[in-house]
Amino acid sequence: MFSDIFYRGEMVFENQLIRHYHTAEMLLLYDGNFIQFKRVPTLAELVESVQYLRDFHQQNGQEHVKLLFPENEKIPDELWQYLKNTGFNIGSQEFYYILPSDFAKVDKNQTITVDKVTDQNLCQFLKLAYEIDSEISLDFARQKRDIHVQNFGSQKFMQLMAYYDGNPAGMVDAIIGHETVEIDGLVILPSYRRRGVASQLQQFIMEEFADKRIILVADGEDSVKEMYKNQNYRYGGFKFEALKVY
């Protein structure tokens, strides 16, 4: 269920229709600054909600509006047309889950190693993260660095790095819940993709948390979700989202 997914940010407003999440320490993080609808809004409610979030974000120097719609609910045609006509990009998220015992186990590859992030390799981890996050923007990478440091100091997060022939190749966060562990921010450098690095990172998590259910959210339009299906993850539902950057 999407209710098990970790969303960064403080809920700064709630009524019968929406929950508004805001991440003051990272204003550029779309996934931490958004509105979640509790039910499908009417057109008038949608317009009002967009204006509310736009006004709030403008006061904070933010140039986006992100909306999440209820789980497993389609967007009515009237709302879809409004969003498209006003410049929103509409996409979807898909929820996947697996028991570690069901994961399509991969053989150990001596060229690939996976380590937890510790005081000894934190700087290397932050350097790799900065390289990856800079592809979005330098400002984003600088703000995200603080988030990575914050996560490092939290018992809720386990950060992992993968190495290929001793070279940093990928990273992932494991977000630890009471009964679940969420795979988040799984990124492999382009030159090391399709070499089994992502599978080794996941297998490390499966072995580390054999007694928990492993969950993740995939972009509904991204082909990477086929990898999860091939690894025996089970589909658990969808959620539409809309984003506009001004």
Side-chain angles (χ1 to χ4, degrees):
M1 298 287 290
F2 279 91
S3 57
D4 293 322
I5 294 297
F6 172 78
Y7 288 109
R8 186 173 298 279
E10 176 187 0
M11 189 171 66
V12 295
F13 177 75
E14 181 179 16
N15 61 19
Q16 293 183 341
L17 177 65
I18 68 170
R19 293 188 181 97
H20 172 198
Y21 291 88
H22 180 66
T23 304
E25 67 271 27
M26 192 166 186
L27 300 175
L28 294 176
L29 184 66
Y30 300 155
D31 290 340
N33 297 274
F34 61 92
I35 278 177
Q36 169 68 66
F37 287 109
K38 296 181 178 181
R39 59 170 172 79
V40 176
T42 65
L43 179 57
E45 289 171 334
L46 176 61
V47 172
E48 181 180 357
S49 298
V50 168
Q51 191 59 54
Y52 159 76
L53 189 57
R54 174 62 172 152
D55 291 343
F56 183 95
H57 279 180
Q58 282 188 308
Q59 293 174 7
N60 290 279
Q62 296 169 277
E63 296 299 327
H64 80 276
V65 168
K66 180 166 184 175
L67 311 170
L68 296 182
F69 290 85
E71 184 174 352
N72 298 326
E73 294 277 0
K74 293 184 177 180
I75 301 176
D77 290 343
E78 183 182 34
L79 305 190
W80 190 286
Q81 288 304 316
Y82 163 78
L83 292 168
K84 282 294 187 182
N85 291 340
T86 54
F88 279 86
N89 290 316
I90 304 173
S92 65
Q93 303 174 350
E94 293 184 357
F95 179 85
Y96 290 89
Y97 64 97
I98 191 172
L99 294 176
S101 58
D102 293 333
F103 184 72
K105 189 173 181 179
V106 293
D107 294 331
K108 295 292 184 182
N109 185 334
Q110 293 186 352
T111 62
I112 302 171
T113 57
V114 176
D115 290 336
K116 295 180 184 179
V117 176
T118 65
D119 290 329
Q120 284 67 45
N121 61 357
L122 176 60
C123 288
Q124 193 175 40
F125 175 83
L126 293 175
K127 181 179 179 182
L128 175 62
Y130 190 87
E131 178 182 350
I132 291 169
D133 295 332
S134 293
E135 295 180 7
I136 298 175
S137 77
L138 294 180
D139 285 341
F140 180 86
R142 284 190 285 267
Q143 289 188 14
K144 192 69 180 291
R145 184 185 187 281
D146 294 337
I147 296 294
H148 289 308
V149 172
Q150 179 181 325
N151 291 347
F152 177 71
S154 170
Q155 293 185 346
K156 187 178 180 67
F157 285 80
M158 186 178 73
Q159 297 161 313
L160 300 175
M161 277 189 69
Y163 301 83
Y164 194 95
D165 281 336
N167 299 310
M171 58 187 291
V172 70
D173 284 341
I175 307 174
I176 306 165
H178 181 62
E179 297 180 348
T180 63
V181 171
E182 179 184 349
I183 292 176
D184 184 56
L186 175 59
V187 184
I188 311 301
L189 291 177
S191 55
Y192 296 106
R193 291 173 186 166
R194 300 185 182 281
R195 300 191 187 189
V197 179
S199 295
Q200 294 290 345
L201 280 167
Q202 291 174 80
Q203 182 149 304
F204 189 99
I205 292 173
M206 302 295 165
E207 294 173 356
E208 190 77 11
F209 300 102
D211 60 337
K212 293 185 182 286
R213 187 166 56 105
I214 310 302
I215 61 175
L216 60 87
V217 171
D219 185 334
E221 308 301 319
D222 196 333
S223 60
V224 73
K225 67 182 183 180
E226 298 305 321
M227 174 186 72
Y228 298 131
K229 293 177 182 178
N230 291 335
Q231 293 169 329
N232 295 331
Y233 284 84
R234 299 179 65 181
Y235 173 78
F238 69 89
K239 180 183 288 190
F240 279 104
E241 59 183 8
L243 172 68
K244 181 176 180 179
V245 180
Y246 291 83

